[in-house]
Amino acid sequence: MDNSMSDVLNVSEMFGKNVFNDAVMRDRLPKSVYKKLKKTIEDGAELDPSIADVVAHAMKDWAIERGATHYTHWFQPLTGVTAEKHDSFISAPSDGKVIMEFSGKELIKGEPDASSFPSGGLRATFEARGYTAWDCTSSAFLREDAIGVTLCIPTAFCSYKGEALDKKTPLLRSVQAVNEQALRILRLFGNTEAHKVTPSVGPEQEYFLVDREKYLKRRDLIYTGRTLFGAPAPKGQELDDQYFGVIRERVGAFMKDLNVELWKLGIPATTQHNEVAPAQHEMAPIYSMCNLAVDQNQLAMETMKRVATRHGLVCLLHEKPYAGVNGSGKHNNWSIGTDTGENLLDPGDTPNENMQFLLVLSCIMRAVDRHADLLRQSASCVGNEHRLGAQEAPPAIISIFLGDQLDDVVSQIVSNADSIKLLTSSGLDTGVSTVPVIKKDATDRNRTSPFAFTGNKFEFRMVGSSDSIADANTTLNAIVAESFCEAADELEKAADFDSACTKLIHDMMTEHQRIVFNGNGYSDEWVEEAERRGLPNLRSMVDAVPALLTPKAEALFTKFGIYTKAELEARAEIMYETYAKVLKIEAKTMTHMAGKHYVPAAITYTTRLAESITAVTAACPQADLTVQRELLEKVSLRLTAATKALNSLTELVEQVDAMEDVKEMALAYHDQIVPAMAALRKPVDEMELLVDKSIWPVPTYGDLMFEV
């Protein structure tokens, strides 16, 4: 057997070894218990409490055999990261001995303190009780790290009064809504075989790597995840030589270990490559069920950080760690499919004749157009402020890219063409006899579109690299469920289904064709055109938050029980609060670095330069010191400007921080603090290019991006 085959077999044996997956459950659970649990997982049936003890016992034995000593309810509070509290399997000692136990009650429910997590006013400080509840649709897994081996049980997190305090609970509600409404659409087309429709997601994860020793010398990277100061390196991404370039040895070693860790956790990581910016890379998995994909992406980000540390690296997930080069996103590839294997977004060879596909497409057009503001809000995080709209990410204006073929079909339907013709693609001949003629796709891709159809899925490109994909998919599922519901309501009462469906497709495409745009989303002309079409342009996170509080949003989310009005208000409150807190940390970090690092370094340099000029003048009065004096003046002018900007920023932060209304504070940080931060950065970055590198107190962009 050759080495390549051996490697394949090793990966096959390794994949999912740390997951309490279907194969493990089938092997370890009694057949009757396994069937009941599978019915809950696959059909959404209510969990039978009587099987919990049996499942818990099997899960505990499996975990202990693999070295686990503790278990935790792994959940996703509104911090945007995961949380956990570890408990050992040890029961009360008796006769100096302990028994390893884990009950069904402990599996199903945990009670972490809810008062210390963001609640947006849903919980008072003294109202501490919260519950984690087992989500059996996402497999338990083992995490191996410095603590040891821990059994992690994915759970939902809610308050004592039942309010959702996490990102998983609304997501699960939205998945249920899509399933119910999509099945209604399928039944209208005579499909009685499908019993479940599930959204699937494949999130592409971009990230940067930086040497850990250099990272530890940058307070801004440590405290905020991005560089708040930094002059451009002599070389950036101008040559496009990083993209898909040969992977460096050190980075390759990291990627190899990362793959192993992800595969053991059942995460189907397949794609790895260099991205556009220096030291930027990407990892992409195969599609998974929406809820599982969200959990796996959170787990992947945690694993990336942990594996990087082993290699003397730090994984930066911030959307814009370095100014002047591409930032990082998380392309959220979304589709919907049945339990019988049908992809509802597959147009087939003749999409012009595929009425079911055209109805689904028109429903999505309506959903995205009607709720463009909510979709934009769902991709809002503080880091994305620095990324959206630049030459690396879609603009803040939501639009749909369909490509030439589908766009032409839509136009023909809108114009009531007698027969819908299909643009066909030709072969692509390179002109080289030894290279075969290949079949081109029906349409090109559009990297500037925030919501692009790419063959059999939609790629939502706005999500930030550090952000959870839960909010984006919750909103996407909700708006599509609403559109499916309205279509089903109308078509279920139609006397002539075919005629009614044809008319509905025409009406929806006509009304919402404005959301379709196949051109350059970066152009100024598109901004003007979007405004003419009436499409919202929510440039900032603070501009997008109010979308959660509209009557339209309340009607959407409460209709399907995804959010209550109070839960929506809480999330808006948390977003404002998060924005203000993150900006406060960044501003205080800037004042710390400027006051403790950059200003002293500039003073040291100018003092030495002035002393040198004085000494040379005394020794040789005729010496031409024009260059030295000009340099001293340049640095001194920028030192004065930096000191003035530093004092101004410090005073502004104190004023804004005294505000009591969280929305008012967030707006003040956006309108006043952000410009003040830019005013401080400018002279400091200019000084970096003038001051002797041996005196400059921190690693530069060149050090950080090119010495990995």
Side-chain angles (χ1 to χ4, degrees):
M1 181 182 297
D2 62 26
N3 289 335
S4 61
M5 181 59 70
S6 176
D7 288 342
V8 170
L9 291 176
N10 287 339
V11 172
S12 178
E13 294 171 4
M14 179 192 311
F15 190 83
K17 66 176 292 187
N18 285 348
V19 183
F20 194 73
N21 54 27
D22 185 71
V24 176
M25 291 191 295
R26 191 187 309 115
D27 180 57
R28 288 179 173 265
L29 295 176
K31 185 176 294 185
S32 60
V33 172
Y34 171 76
K35 286 183 177 180
K36 289 180 179 180
L37 184 57
K38 286 290 287 183
K39 188 171 182 62
T40 297
I41 295 172
E42 294 182 352
D43 300 338
E46 188 172 338
L47 180 68
D48 185 345
S50 67
I51 70 171
D53 278 330
V54 179
V55 176
H57 181 75
M59 195 180 289
K60 180 258 299 180
D61 286 350
W62 170 79
I64 289 175
E65 287 171 16
R66 283 156 178 76
T69 57
H70 289 68
Y71 70 92
T72 182
H73 277 195
W74 186 76
F75 59 103
Q76 299 173 40
L78 298 175
T79 56
V81 294
T82 60
E84 54 196 57
K85 181 188 73 170
H86 297 193
D87 291 294
S88 75
F89 292 116
I90 296 175
S91 63
S94 176
D95 298 328
K97 297 181 180 180
V98 296
I99 300 175
M100 305 290 268
E101 293 183 337
F102 184 50
S103 68
K105 179 181 178 182
E106 291 167 321
L107 169 63
I108 289 176
K109 188 183 75 171
E111 296 188 24
D113 186 337
S115 65
S116 298
F117 290 105
S119 70
L122 290 174
R123 300 257 77 195
T125 303
F126 63 87
E127 295 177 316
R129 192 180 296 279
Y131 297 110
T132 49
W134 177 35
D135 171 24
C136 62
T137 65
S138 185
S139 300
F141 58 90
L142 298 176
R143 189 177 58 212
E144 302 169 323
D145 52 26
I147 288 179
V149 182
T150 306
L151 172 65
C152 299
I153 303 161
T155 57
F157 179 46
C158 63
S159 74
Y160 181 73
K161 297 177 181 178
E163 300 105 338
L165 296 177
D166 66 343
K167 294 179 179 288
K168 176 181 279 284
T169 303
L171 178 72
L172 291 172
R173 295 167 179 170
S174 74
V175 169
Q176 183 173 299
V178 167
N179 174 52
E180 293 172 353
Q181 302 309 319
L183 283 175
R184 294 176 65 194
I185 296 294
L186 291 177
R187 298 293 183 258
L188 287 166
F189 285 92
N191 184 334
T192 58
E193 296 180 355
H195 297 289
K196 188 176 183 180
V197 178
T198 306
S200 296
V201 175
E204 305 169 29
Q205 179 70 57
E206 295 175 341
Y207 61 96
F208 282 82
L209 292 175
V210 62
D211 182 86
R212 184 168 182 81
E213 288 188 10
K214 295 181 176 66
Y215 166 88
L216 292 174
K217 295 176 181 177
R218 297 279 314 212
R219 296 287 116 184
D220 46 5
L221 284 178
I222 293 172
Y223 296 146
T224 74
R226 74 179 182 103
T227 54
L228 301 172
F229 298 97
K235 179 179 184 286
Q237 60 190 51
E238 300 89 345
L239 297 179
D240 299 323
D241 54 340
Q242 160 77 4
Y243 193 49
F244 281 20
V246 175
I247 297 170
R248 299 179 188 179
E249 287 287 305
R250 190 179 185 187
V251 174
F254 159 80
M255 288 180 171
K256 180 180 178 181
D257 282 359
L258 175 64
N259 284 331
V260 169
E261 295 300 321
L262 295 180
W263 290 337
K264 287 195 294 185
L265 291 166
I267 300 174
T270 58
T271 302
Q272 59 188 30
H273 62 83
N274 289 344
E275 258 297 335
V276 174
Q280 187 186 29
H281 313 281
E282 180 178 302
M283 181 280 292
I286 300 172
Y287 291 80
S288 300
M289 183 179 68
C290 182
N291 175 43
L292 184 59
V294 171
D295 285 1
Q296 288 182 341
N297 183 249
Q298 290 292 122
L299 189 55
M301 290 192 288
E302 295 171 4
T303 305
M304 292 164 78
K305 292 179 179 179
R306 190 170 67 251
V307 172
T309 302
R310 297 180 196 165
H311 292 265
L313 299 167
V314 173
C315 178
L316 302 177
L317 294 172
H318 194 283
E319 287 72 20
K320 196 76 168 180
Y322 307 112
V325 297
N326 278 15
S328 297
K330 184 146 45 189
H331 301 168
N332 189 86
N333 295 281
W334 178 90
S335 64
I336 37 179
T338 70
D339 54 350
T340 58
E342 180 183 6
N343 183 346
L344 302 189
L345 290 178
D346 185 355
D349 295 330
T350 55
N352 53 319
E353 300 172 359
N354 188 339
M355 187 176 291
Q356 178 179 294
F357 169 75
L358 292 175
L359 178 62
V360 170
L361 177 62
S362 60
C363 283
I364 292 175
M365 286 173 59
R366 174 168 63 183
V368 174
D369 186 24
R370 179 185 291 168
H371 296 293
D373 57 342
L374 275 176
L375 207 53
R376 164 67 179 92
Q377 177 276 325
S378 73
S380 296
C381 66
V382 185
N384 241 2
E385 298 278 288
H386 310 282
R387 169 179 166 266
L388 294 180
Q391 297 296 317
E392 71 219 51
I397 304 168
I398 296 287
S399 64
I400 295 177
F401 170 78
L402 294 179
D404 296 337
Q405 188 180 74
L406 283 183
D407 186 45
D408 185 62
V409 168
V410 170
S411 295
Q412 290 182 67
I413 291 174
V414 170
S415 62
N416 287 311
D418 293 334
S419 62
I420 311 300
K421 297 180 175 58
L422 189 66
L423 292 177
T424 57
S425 59
S426 59
L428 179 63
D429 189 350
T430 64
V432 180
S433 60
T434 56
V435 176
V437 175
I438 60 176
K439 183 181 179 182
K440 290 198 301 184
D441 289 307
T443 186
D444 202 348
R445 289 187 176 180
N446 188 327
R447 290 178 60 85
T448 71
S449 175
F451 198 74
F453 186 75
T454 54
N456 59 3
K457 58 183 173 60
F458 277 101
E459 183 179 19
F460 186 32
R461 297 172 57 87
M462 293 184 78
V463 184
S465 52
S466 69
D467 206 10
S468 167
I469 59 173
D471 290 339
N473 286 291
T474 297
T475 297
L476 188 51
N477 293 340
I479 65 177
V480 172
E482 179 191 58
S483 197
F484 282 169
C485 179
E486 292 178 5
D489 286 345
E490 182 169 341
L491 294 176
E492 283 171 351
K493 60 187 179 185
D496 184 338
F497 172 74
D498 288 345
S499 296
C501 189
T502 300
K503 182 178 184 303
L504 180 59
I505 292 169
H506 169 270
D507 291 347
M508 285 195 291
M509 288 185 173
T510 300
E511 182 178 354
H512 301 287
Q513 190 180 19
R514 68 173 187 166
I515 199 67
V516 177
F517 177 66
N518 287 348
N520 181 9
Y522 293 154
S523 69
D524 293 335
E525 291 78 10
W526 167 234
V527 176
E528 296 172 2
E529 171 65 15
E531 184 177 3
R532 186 189 66 78
R533 294 187 186 189
L535 301 179
N537 184 5
L538 305 174
R539 294 176 174 85
S540 168
M541 176 176 167
V542 292
D543 295 329
V545 174
L548 284 173
L549 304 176
T550 63
K552 174 172 65 81
E554 182 183 342
L556 164 71
F557 288 118
T558 57
K559 178 176 183 177
F560 299 106
I562 296 170
Y563 293 118
T564 64
K565 182 180 180 181
E567 288 171 342
L568 287 172
E569 292 171 345
R571 278 152 179 78
E573 182 88 358
I574 290 169
M575 289 188 73
Y576 284 130
E577 186 177 21
T578 300
Y579 186 87
K581 286 181 176 179
V582 169
L583 264 296
K584 179 181 179 181
I585 293 169
E586 290 190 352
K588 292 181 71 174
T589 301
M590 287 192 82
T591 58
H592 170 84
M593 293 181 71
K596 300 292 185 181
H597 295 242
Y598 299 121
V599 168
I603 290 174
T604 299
Y605 180 69
T606 53
T607 300
R608 290 182 186 178
L609 188 55
E611 290 172 348
S612 175
I613 292 172
T614 301
V616 172
T617 300
C620 183
Q622 294 80 25
D624 184 359
L625 300 178
T626 303
V627 172
Q628 291 91 325
R629 290 192 175 96
E630 287 181 352
L631 181 56
L632 177 59
E633 183 180 5
K634 286 180 181 179
V635 177
S636 297
L637 286 172
R638 286 157 179 80
L639 178 57
T640 300
T643 304
K644 182 179 178 181
L646 169 60
N647 294 334
S648 177
L649 178 59
T650 302
E651 292 174 5
L652 269 175
V653 171
E654 291 177 355
Q655 294 171 14
V656 173
D657 204 36
M659 295 178 177
E660 295 184 359
D661 182 79
V662 68
K663 179 180 179 180
E664 181 184 356
M665 183 183 293
L667 290 170
Y669 268 101
H670 178 268
D671 298 339
Q672 300 175 44
I673 302 298
V674 170
M677 291 168 64
L680 175 56
R681 176 169 187 161
K682 184 176 184 295
V684 172
D685 287 357
E686 290 173 352
M687 285 194 296
E688 180 183 321
L689 299 175
L690 298 171
V691 174
D692 191 328
K693 182 170 171 49
S694 64
I695 296 176
W696 201 246
V698 299
T700 65
Y701 271 20
D703 300 329
L704 296 169
M705 291 192 289
F706 290 95
E707 297 180 14
V708 179

